[in-house]
Amino acid sequence: MTAIPPGSTIGILGSGQLGRMLAVAAAQLGYRCHIYAPESGPACDVAAAFTQGDYNDATSLAAFAKAVDIVTYEFENVDPRGIAHLAPIAPVRPGSRALDISRERPTEKGFVRDQGGTTAPFREVTSLAGLEAAVAEIGVPSILKTSMFGYDGKGQARLASPDDATAAWETVGGQPSVLESFVTFAHEFSIMLVRGLDGATVHYPAPLNVHRDGILATSTIPAPALVQTQVEAAVALTTKLAHALDYVGVLTCEFFATADGPVFNEMAPRVHNSGHWTIEGAVTSQFENHIRAICGLPLGSTALTGASVEMDNLIGDEADQWPALLAEGDAHLHLYGKHEARPGRKMGHVTRVWR
């Protein structure tokens, strides 16, 4: 195993805030970052280079790959076919198999079940008639989610009655979807696991995640006692998934804490919003550990830097609170540099560490 040394260039697919924080962490270790995306974004402000191009543009992707020493990605909606243009030229970590599985919900849930995980009952749906049949089979309340591209509550519709099927199908635009039965749960939490190039793994303490309007609002450490009793099983499953994928980097799995144990919700093959607290709240942030992993460096400690930590997302015009947040003194403010604050848009976050 040969490490990619500081001074090398890391290519990042995607120009959002996750890419921005990856680039900052990489710079602290002496790496340069080169962003590739269809449009400029927050990551471009802190990177050494930016290539504007489509994720399926074979010529642009090949030129990008030749300009970097390794490629990673900041979000999972990159077409795996695009990765095929990169891999023969520069190593891509995590590999395309994680994208293949995580980008489509039915495939992802089937993979998790095959690895011994528990998911909500679900059915793949490709038509209104199929949705009506799925509702009859798994019942209501349930939730319809597009198979691809949904995030932060987008591409979803809830069904309280079988009569809601037509409206739900219209809400998701008649796209291929998955119908999931509602899960009765007490809490939501996530496991952020890091797997190195040598197969070694570390994981962060599991945060309690609270969502508002389908968007993560807060992540808090330590999580409630019920979550603590389910972390071991959730980590074991996440580790099993990472090994099965031959994964390198940060892998995040979201879970429901139920009376019967952890129920898998979603997998993200990347650094994750619920781990932003690690920048100040852990010895090594998720962003630095992702860079360490993909470059073949030793993984850093995931221990807490305080007794408790809370991260609050700043959504839309909540970012306008920056003067008051800075006046707190011990609040760690992160603004992503987005030019327009829209409802539901993540504009930044603030972390507080209590010692």
Side-chain angles (χ1 to χ4, degrees):
M1 182 185 74
T2 302
I4 295 174
S8 303
T9 299
I10 299 171
I12 300 175
L13 299 177
S15 61
Q17 64 264 21
L18 298 180
R20 181 187 182 98
M21 288 180 273
L22 281 170
V24 169
Q28 292 175 331
L29 292 177
Y31 294 94
R32 297 176 179 87
C33 285
H34 185 155
I35 307 299
Y36 184 100
E39 58 185 18
S40 179
C44 300
D45 294 339
V46 299
F50 168 53
T51 293
Q52 186 168 12
D54 187 85
Y55 292 126
N56 290 313
D57 185 334
T59 301
S60 294
L61 285 168
F64 167 70
K66 291 174 183 176
V68 303
D69 297 288
I70 187 171
V71 177
T72 191
Y73 43 87
E74 64 133 23
F75 76 129
E76 62 267 43
N77 289 333
V78 176
D79 192 326
R81 291 174 296 181
I83 302 297
H85 301 303
L86 300 168
I89 304 171
V92 181
R93 298 170 185 156
S96 62
R97 186 156 183 250
L99 288 177
D100 283 331
I101 288 174
S102 66
R103 70 197 306 260
E104 295 194 26
R105 285 191 172 95
T107 304
E108 176 184 89
K109 292 180 182 296
F111 171 69
V112 170
R113 283 189 174 182
D114 290 345
Q115 297 298 319
T118 301
T119 71
F122 70 94
R123 297 293 182 273
E124 193 168 359
V125 174
T126 57
S127 66
L128 176 58
L131 173 58
E132 292 171 340
V135 170
E137 189 172 354
I138 70 173
V140 291
S142 52
I143 185 164
L144 184 68
K145 302 179 180 178
T146 54
S147 292
M148 297 175 60
F149 304 126
Y151 64 96
D152 288 345
K154 298 178 177 66
Q156 299 184 10
R158 298 192 176 195
L159 291 84
S161 160
D163 296 336
D164 295 335
T166 299
W169 188 242
E170 292 174 352
T171 296
V172 301
Q175 299 181 68
S177 301
V178 60
L179 183 72
E180 298 178 13
S181 178
F182 265 29
V183 173
T184 300
F185 64 92
H187 307 291
E188 295 179 80
F189 69 99
S190 51
I191 299 297
M192 284 153 292
L193 180 122
V194 195
R195 186 175 185 269
L197 193 57
D198 61 356
T201 63
V202 295
H203 67 273
Y204 290 91
L208 168 69
N209 298 325
V210 176
H211 294 78
R212 184 173 65 243
D213 298 326
I215 303 173
L216 181 67
T218 65
S219 291
T220 308
I221 306 289
L226 178 63
V227 171
Q228 299 293 342
T229 64
Q230 301 187 9
V231 165
E232 183 177 354
V235 169
L237 175 62
T238 306
T239 304
K240 191 172 183 180
L241 299 179
H243 288 319
L245 293 168
D246 195 20
Y247 194 91
V248 178
V250 173
L251 175 65
T252 306
C253 288
E254 297 179 68
F255 292 90
F256 300 117
T258 77
D260 298 318
V263 174
F264 173 90
N265 181 28
E266 292 182 346
M267 177 174 72
R270 53 169 171 79
V271 289
H272 196 259
N273 193 178
S274 67
H276 289 357
W277 62 268
T278 63
I279 297 174
E280 291 84 21
V283 173
T284 311
S285 76
Q286 64 164 340
F287 302 100
E288 180 180 332
N289 254 337
H290 186 82
I291 298 300
R292 286 174 176 241
I294 65 172
C295 290
L297 307 180
L299 301 182
S301 169
T302 58
L304 293 176
T305 58
S308 61
V309 186
E310 180 177 307
M311 185 281 296
D312 297 288
N313 265 333
L314 300 175
I315 310 298
D317 60 10
E318 292 176 352
D320 294 340
Q321 301 170 15
W322 62 265
L325 292 170
L326 289 175
E328 284 188 33
D330 57 356
H332 301 278
L333 178 64
H334 297 260
L335 296 176
Y336 304 147
K338 296 180 180 179
H339 301 302
E340 181 185 1
R342 298 194 298 265
R345 193 180 197 193
K346 296 172 183 174
M347 302 298 294
H349 71 270
V350 59
T351 302
R352 299 173 179 87
V353 181
W354 291 279
R355 293 177 174 83

